[in-house]
Amino acid sequence: MRALISVFDKTGLDTLAKGLASLGWELVASGGTADAIEELGLPVTKIEALTEFPEMLGGRVKTLHPRVHAGILARREVEPDLVALEEHGIEPFDLVCVNLYPFERVAAEHGVREEEAIEMIDVGGPAMLRGAAKNFTHVAPVCRPADYEPVLAELRQTGELAPETRRRLAATAFATSAAYEAAIAAWFAGRESFPPVFTPVFERQLELSYGENPHQTAAYYAERGARTHLLSRVEQLHGKELSFNNLNDLNAARLLVREFALPACVIVKHANPCGVGIGASIEEAYEVALAADPLSAYGGVVVFNRAVSAVLGERLSAQFVEVLFAPGYDEVALDALVRKQSIRILNDTERRKADVPERDYKRVLGGLLVQDRDWDVEDREGMAVATGEPTEAQWGDLLFAMRVCKHVASNAIVIAKDLQTVGIGAGQMSRVDAVRIAIEKAREHGHSLEGAALASDAFFPFPDGPQLALDAGVDAFIQPGGSKRDLEVIEAIERSGATMVFTGRRHFRH
């Protein structure tokens, strides 16, 4: 039996080489891989001895030779293939182990020159790997160190690899090659916002028990090449496995909490915020967010932008929380929280900033809608006061309400007071109905609307929505503007002595 090994990443090479050698396999290797195997004290045939041709062009050409590829691609059941091998004195390979130049890592390095990135485009490696995968019934393609031990174990146990193992290895090899080529294509098309062919690559991070509903199967994938993702550097300290809906809600909450620099708490149910609060301390932020809508907060996902203190941990342990996410936990807090078996506790140690701008994807029938993520954290710069003169306190509530509103399903209305959401109307087909729901939610939980601020994710087409809010006590409004009836809306606000700000930017979320 004969193995061809050519790896840039030498992780686990000693295990593989020693394991194959102990089973009586002949080892053939290229350049640095051969040197590493020799250092292990194992016999190895170098590629140039096999091809009788030296490496050339600075290593660009070393394995691109018929003695290599014929040995990989020859079909053992096809007589003319075997005759051709014998005529040219070529021996077949039974296993090909290749991992590729680290193009993605090098291309992503700060200050890397174009010629340096280009030299990390592997040509021979993918060719050998794809050749072995094509001929998987006879040649086992191995490209991940994680597969070395399982392959060796099966060879030790049965003396050969089962057809299903070979097929799985081939699938991994083609997926690896495809992802590699996609990364290179994306790099070359980097200056083009929406290239003719879009080739994002995602790698499975979690197998989920089911999807949005129990009859749907599901998994969580992270985009390859992204600096951060939903669970990057996130440690689960306690609780059951995360579900599809947990992750969806966690994503919504994390995107919202990044809007705030001050201590903030976001509580999400069904991908919509039900309570958001900012406080002088993280303990205060939680109390404010919980009080916004304590009924809806039951069984929610709770996200903080500060570590959980002992006092806060004890308070949270008295609530039913599905998922708790924070950048750190006091030991006393953890002791209190883990007494509840149902809570999933996530510790966020990610300190890297996410890629900006990031693409936003929405699956449609047979396709994908791709857009820039609605990512910017807005401030009053660029906004226009349409009527009245907002006080500093009103500005604070207006900006707070709009930042929350951006993350609520459209049509969306958020009413806020003293940096607390007091009423949220989400996902309504009619904007005036969203206003009505937000007012009803506030009243249901005893929140005063006198002096509150209201944000709308899109313009008011008629004055009816604002008038409902004015009648309830709201005296400050923020909306994109742009309606044909903006003047009518402004007049209604002016008559009540209230104030309104136009942002000039819509925030639909569907």
Side-chain angles (χ1 to χ4, degrees):
M1 304 296 280
R2 203 159 175 249
L4 172 59
I5 308 176
S6 179
V7 292
F8 187 94
D9 178 6
K10 305 299 190 292
T11 302
L13 175 60
D14 55 343
T15 298
L16 180 67
K18 289 177 180 178
L20 291 174
S22 70
L23 293 170
W25 284 56
E26 178 189 350
L27 305 181
V28 179
S30 63
T33 304
D35 293 339
I37 292 173
E38 283 183 338
E39 289 176 9
L40 296 172
L42 300 174
V44 59
T45 302
K46 294 190 174 183
I47 283 287
E48 51 264 41
L50 180 73
T51 62
E52 298 179 349
F53 209 93
E55 289 186 15
M56 61 186 300
L57 306 183
R60 281 190 166 197
V61 178
K62 47 192 171 189
T63 60
L64 297 170
H65 193 282
R67 286 189 174 275
V68 173
H69 287 276
I72 294 172
L73 287 163
R75 294 159 293 184
R76 315 299 163 81
E77 76 283 8
V78 177
E79 187 63 27
D81 284 13
L82 299 178
V83 170
L85 291 183
E86 187 174 357
E87 283 181 358
H88 296 282
I90 298 173
E91 295 182 58
F93 291 105
D94 303 285
L95 181 148
V96 171
C97 178
V98 172
N99 60 53
L100 310 177
Y101 293 171
F103 172 82
E104 289 169 275
R105 177 177 61 77
V106 173
E109 289 176 358
H110 179 70
V112 68
R113 300 194 310 275
E114 182 173 277
E115 56 269 27
E116 292 173 325
I118 287 174
E119 286 309 308
M120 285 294 107
I121 297 176
D122 203 333
V123 176
M128 290 188 290
L129 187 61
R130 287 169 56 81
K134 178 177 180 176
N135 202 24
F136 73 96
T137 54
H138 304 295
V139 185
V142 180
C143 59
R144 300 185 309 173
D147 288 322
Y148 296 173
E149 280 289 5
V151 165
L152 289 170
E154 190 169 336
L155 289 173
R156 291 188 189 107
Q157 185 174 357
T158 66
E160 61 182 0
L161 297 178
E164 56 269 25
T165 300
R166 293 174 174 275
R167 181 173 288 276
R168 177 180 58 78
L169 291 171
T172 299
F174 279 120
T176 298
S177 174
Y180 191 75
E181 302 298 337
I184 295 168
W187 181 76
F188 273 103
R191 297 177 180 85
E192 193 169 356
S193 297
F194 299 101
V197 177
F198 185 48
T199 54
V201 175
F202 293 83
E203 295 179 330
R204 191 179 65 203
Q205 304 293 314
L206 289 177
E207 292 188 47
L208 305 175
S209 55
Y210 57 84
E212 205 161 4
N213 300 291
H215 63 277
Q216 295 170 274
T217 56
Y220 167 61
Y221 289 79
E223 188 164 11
R224 183 163 168 171
R227 184 179 296 136
T228 66
H229 63 84
L230 182 61
L231 295 179
S232 63
R233 300 188 181 180
V234 172
E235 179 186 8
Q236 183 164 353
L237 304 178
H238 178 74
K240 298 182 293 185
E241 293 180 350
L242 291 161
S243 71
F244 182 99
N245 292 326
N246 289 156
L247 293 172
N248 193 40
D249 286 353
L250 177 63
N251 180 66
R254 290 196 64 184
L255 286 173
L256 174 47
V257 83
R258 70 174 291 276
E259 299 274 350
F260 307 114
L262 294 172
C265 173
V266 173
I267 305 175
V268 162
K269 286 282 289 291
H270 296 287
N272 279 296
C274 59
V276 183
I278 289 177
S281 66
I282 199 63
E283 294 84 4
E284 181 185 351
Y286 174 65
E287 295 299 341
V288 169
L290 179 63
D293 186 350
L295 185 64
S296 296
Y298 182 83
V301 170
V302 181
V303 170
F304 296 100
N305 63 358
R306 298 289 193 279
V308 173
S309 66
V311 172
L312 180 54
E314 195 66 45
R315 181 77 173 94
L316 285 161
S317 70
Q319 307 295 321
F320 173 41
V321 175
E322 273 274 336
V323 179
L324 179 60
F325 182 95
Y329 296 85
D330 182 275
E331 287 186 15
V332 175
L334 268 181
D335 288 342
L337 289 165
V338 298
R339 292 199 296 265
K340 303 201 71 159
Q341 294 298 315
S342 59
I343 188 172
R344 299 163 175 88
I345 303 173
L346 304 180
N347 183 32
D348 176 25
T349 65
E350 180 63 87
R351 299 297 179 262
R352 298 169 298 176
K353 291 184 178 179
D355 292 317
V356 179
E358 183 179 76
R359 291 284 185 253
D360 192 19
Y361 309 140
K362 189 177 292 291
R363 194 78 165 92
V364 295
L365 287 171
L368 193 70
L369 293 172
V370 181
Q371 64 179 349
D372 296 331
R373 189 180 285 285
D374 192 0
W375 195 253
D376 296 340
V377 176
E378 292 181 89
D379 215 327
R380 68 177 76 179
E381 184 178 348
M383 296 182 182
V385 177
T387 184
E389 294 183 7
T391 65
E392 284 302 308
Q394 285 177 321
W395 266 116
D397 278 341
L398 288 168
L399 293 173
F400 169 78
M402 181 53 84
R403 290 181 185 182
V404 175
C405 195
K406 185 169 97 176
H407 298 271
V408 178
S410 299
N411 286 312
I413 295 293
V414 171
I415 303 176
K417 187 175 181 180
D418 299 328
L419 304 181
Q420 175 194 37
T421 57
V422 295
I424 297 175
Q428 297 305 301
M429 286 64 74
S430 163
R431 191 159 299 279
V432 70
D433 283 343
V435 174
R436 186 176 293 110
I437 290 171
I439 293 170
E440 289 172 356
K441 293 290 285 185
R443 288 172 172 165
E444 177 186 344
H445 297 293
H447 298 300
S448 170
L449 293 176
E450 294 297 328
L454 180 149
S456 176
D457 65 336
F459 63 64
F460 285 105
F462 302 98
D464 52 358
Q467 191 61 56
L468 276 177
L470 288 165
D471 294 343
V474 173
D475 66 2
F477 296 78
I478 186 167
Q479 57 137 321
S483 167
K484 293 179 179 179
R485 294 182 174 85
D486 273 350
L487 287 178
E488 295 178 34
V489 175
I490 292 171
E491 287 171 4
I493 303 294
E494 283 181 341
R495 282 195 303 269
S496 297
T499 187
M500 183 164 62
V501 172
F502 283 171
T503 67
R505 178 177 285 193
R506 189 180 71 188
H507 290 296
F508 274 166
R509 175 175 170 260
H510 299 111

